[in-house]
Amino acid sequence: MKDTAISERATTRGEPAGPTVGSVRKVRVWDAFVRLFHWGVVACVAGLAWTGYLSGSIARHFDLHVWLGSALSVLVVGRLVWGLVGSRYARFAAFPISAADVRRHLGNLLRGRAEHTIGHNPLGSLMVLALLATLGGLVLTGLMALGGVFRMGPAKGFATGAAGDIALVLHWWLGLFLLGLVALHIGGVVVERLLGAHDLVRAMIVGTKRVAAPAAAPSRGTPPARPAFAALVVLAMIGGALAPTVAVRRDALPGAPVPVAGSAYADACGDCHEAYHPSLLPAENWHRLMSGLEDHFGEDASLDPTTTARVMSWLAAHDAWATETKPARHLGRRAGPDQLRMTDTDFWKTTHAALGDEIFARPPIYTRANCSACHRDAASGWFNPSAIRIPEPPAPNSAGN
Amino acid sequence: MTRSTLILVGALAALASAAVAADRRAIISAYGDPAGFSAARGKAFFEARHTGGKPETPSCTTCHTANPRAEGRTRAGKPIAPMAVSANPERFTDPAKVEKWFRRNCNSVLGRECTAKEKGDVLTYLSSL
């Protein structure tokens, strides 16, 4: 039988290596949570990698990315707690990662011999720890970016824009690093399989491994798992993250974009196009624009002097430097002194580069300057990625006649 | 609703629309004797292609379309409510608004102010539809 053949070469931690001909028994090694965690992480990471890198537009899949990230963070927190109070092989303390363990495992690998550990083998354990640390880093940088850049989630109350920007760069690189680790991890599983050790994938699905009887050393005083305690900790963490997410209103944060509706500005500048949010340009640019309303992008948009002055001071008070949003910081503040159009800025051109001219020209969009046609929250100034919907052109039969 | 409230509401609505019509007449009269204005001249002016203004806007119809009962559209893609009073009873009831847009639109289309006569003709035309 195959299992017997394998067990003849068994080299098990803490057991003398050597042929062990005899009974083979099943050991329950991965409990339900560890397996749920493992495949849950696989699903989340696949979705996160797709939305984050492969889809080509994180902005268009922002909600999905955040939801998957939230699910992942619950799984990761759960696994960290389970590593402390979980079942025998799930505990970090049981991972065979002493220098001697690792040296022996490497030596075995070089000689082409498998290592029949019941739990994670030494290199596998190191990989699990590296994966968990990277996932944890991704969760933290993700939350900081969400809070600082988009002013959403549990960190929105304290994460600054600059911190969010840095976190986002780290997040991007950590994500690639994670994918590299995943590749190594899969490679390791394949090598173990080729060397004739356990089918690790099957073990992670069914939860049991078949091992030679002597290898299944009796539990050496591992305290019992404490699932209720672990669940409580996880619930407390979820509550701790949800409370500030819900309690802190984004529009009440310092630097929140001013509402435009009802302002004298909306009356004066909202007839020919939406009243663009004041946070999209710096005060100096607004000033230049307001000084040339008689020739305003090919039209006369002049106002009486009193209204002009009133509108100008309102724009200056709520300009890009007075507002802490992604569009204010990345688009408005970086507008060149001569750029009176948001659509001329580098940021705008880069973010919209993938959209062809024909999209902007078609009804009901008609022009690049029709921000609110695609950004349903344009009036609020937030320009949140999840509010982007590119409208379909009207069906030809309904548009005709 | 009782009959008397219905009558009251109806009377108020009639009063309001009469007041609105009076406002509009007053706005037109401010440009001259209404008898001297012509809807036909107003239509021709409204539909003509003018020179002297900004190249992007050669005609009133660039934005308002040649059918004043239909919705128009600005160059920035925003819909403009119909200009014909019959399709949009709120038209030409606020003198400051009318003046603001004549100033802007005439400058854009013709490169100059419109004359009082041109304004009176256009308003007569758009009120007559």
Side-chain angles (χ1 to χ4, degrees):
Chain A
M1 208 180 123
K2 194 161 169 256
D3 283 328
T4 330
I6 291 170
S7 66
E8 275 168 6
R9 289 189 282 116
T11 321
T12 309
R13 182 167 104 92
E15 306 291 331
T20 330
V21 188
S23 63
V24 168
R25 64 187 196 96
K26 265 192 195 169
V27 180
R28 172 163 268 321
V29 48
W30 304 128
D31 61 51
F33 172 71
V34 169
R35 285 178 282 151
L36 173 86
F37 166 79
H38 180 271
W39 297 111
V41 167
V42 169
C44 288
V45 167
L48 288 158
W50 183 76
T51 50
Y53 300 108
L54 302 174
S55 74
S57 170
I58 172 72
R60 305 277 292 275
H61 306 94
F62 189 77
D63 280 354
L64 182 58
H65 193 82
V66 170
W67 279 113
L68 287 171
S70 310
L72 179 71
S73 61
V74 173
L75 287 172
V76 169
V77 168
R79 183 63 183 91
L80 292 178
V81 177
W82 205 234
L84 301 176
V85 303
S87 66
R88 179 176 171 193
Y89 298 105
R91 292 197 181 216
F92 301 138
F95 283 14
I97 48 171
S98 72
D101 289 325
V102 175
R103 218 175 302 122
R104 189 198 58 247
H105 186 191
L106 276 174
N108 277 331
L109 270 184
L110 289 178
R111 267 170 269 132
R113 294 203 325 200
E115 180 117 359
H116 290 257
T117 327
I118 298 177
H120 291 304
N121 65 31
L123 288 179
S125 301
L126 288 179
M127 176 55 80
V128 169
L129 294 178
L131 285 166
L132 277 173
T134 310
L135 288 169
L138 277 160
V139 166
L140 289 180
T141 51
L143 287 176
M144 278 302 283
L146 192 67
V149 177
F150 300 99
R151 315 211 67 188
M152 296 164 71
K156 66 181 158 200
F158 60 86
T160 64
D165 288 342
I166 295 170
L168 198 50
V169 173
L170 286 175
H171 192 69
W172 196 87
W173 285 106
L174 266 180
L176 286 190
F177 182 70
L178 177 77
L179 295 183
L181 284 182
V182 167
L184 279 177
H185 173 57
I186 294 173
V189 171
V190 170
V191 166
E192 289 288 311
R193 177 81 177 140
L194 291 180
L195 290 182
H198 304 287
D199 182 346
L200 297 181
V201 176
R202 182 177 178 278
M204 195 47 88
I205 294 172
V206 300
T208 56
K209 282 183 183 174
R210 287 161 173 277
V211 290
S219 162
R220 279 157 304 186
T222 313
R226 294 160 66 191
F229 174 76
L232 218 72
V233 175
V234 172
L235 281 179
M237 305 277 285
I238 296 176
L242 276 184
T245 305
V246 176
V248 181
R249 283 202 322 107
R250 184 166 75 154
D251 289 304
L253 292 171
V258 70
V260 168
S263 64
Y265 165 72
D267 274 353
C269 301
D271 287 314
C272 298
H273 45 67
E274 62 192 280
Y276 299 116
H277 200 272
S279 66
L280 295 174
L281 288 175
E284 307 81 69
N285 298 45
W286 285 124
H287 192 81
R288 194 160 301 133
L289 185 142
M290 293 297 289
S291 315
L293 287 178
E294 293 72 25
D295 193 358
H296 178 77
F297 305 102
E299 277 176 39
D300 183 338
S302 58
L303 296 164
D304 62 87
T306 331
T307 314
T308 307
R310 219 169 125 209
V311 166
M312 183 54 228
S313 61
W314 188 84
L315 285 168
H318 305 291
D319 78 338
W321 293 98
T323 311
E324 292 291 334
T325 59
K326 181 177 175 188
R329 292 186 309 110
H330 289 243
L331 190 163
R333 292 183 197 177
R334 294 186 194 164
D338 297 327
Q339 291 175 328
L340 303 186
R341 282 182 182 270
M342 288 77 73
T343 51
D344 277 347
T345 60
D346 291 345
F347 177 89
W348 196 94
K349 288 182 181 164
T350 318
T351 40
H352 299 80
L355 305 169
D357 286 344
E358 71 286 353
I359 293 188
F360 291 108
R362 79 189 186 199
I365 305 171
Y366 299 110
T367 155
R368 295 178 152 68
N370 197 354
C371 318
S372 59
C374 304
H375 295 275
R376 294 188 306 172
D377 64 344
S380 74
W382 282 112
F383 286 84
N384 203 275
S386 47
I388 301 174
R389 300 280 183 286
I390 298 181
E392 289 302 320
N397 51 349
S398 73
N401 78 54
Chain B
M1 246 195 272
T2 66
R3 237 175 79 199
S4 53
T5 23
L6 270 178
I7 291 170
L8 193 70
V9 167
L12 280 176
L15 256 176
S17 81
V20 159
D23 280 350
R24 190 175 305 117
R25 271 198 304 277
I27 289 174
I28 296 179
S29 310
Y31 294 123
D33 179 3
F37 295 136
S38 143
R41 266 201 320 265
K43 178 176 160 67
F45 177 84
F46 196 77
E47 291 175 357
R49 285 179 71 85
H50 301 269
T51 49
K54 303 185 196 300
E56 293 86 351
T57 51
S59 169
C60 307
T61 58
T62 308
C63 299
H64 293 300
T65 81
N67 175 7
R69 267 183 293 259
E71 212 173 59
R73 193 172 66 241
T74 69
R75 287 178 46 240
K78 199 177 156 107
I80 306 177
M83 292 298 276
V85 170
S86 55
N88 182 2
E90 278 153 43
R91 279 298 175 214
F92 322 125
T93 49
D94 172 357
K97 177 174 177 184
V98 172
E99 262 306 292
K100 176 171 93 173
W101 286 101
F102 270 134
R103 187 187 72 238
R104 286 175 167 173
N105 293 345
C106 294
N107 188 29
S108 294
V109 174
L110 302 128
R112 60 165 172 84
E113 300 250 335
C114 288
T115 63
K117 191 167 170 203
E118 285 164 342
K119 294 177 187 175
D121 285 345
V122 165
L123 295 189
T124 305
Y125 162 56
L126 294 171
S127 308
S128 72
L129 291 166

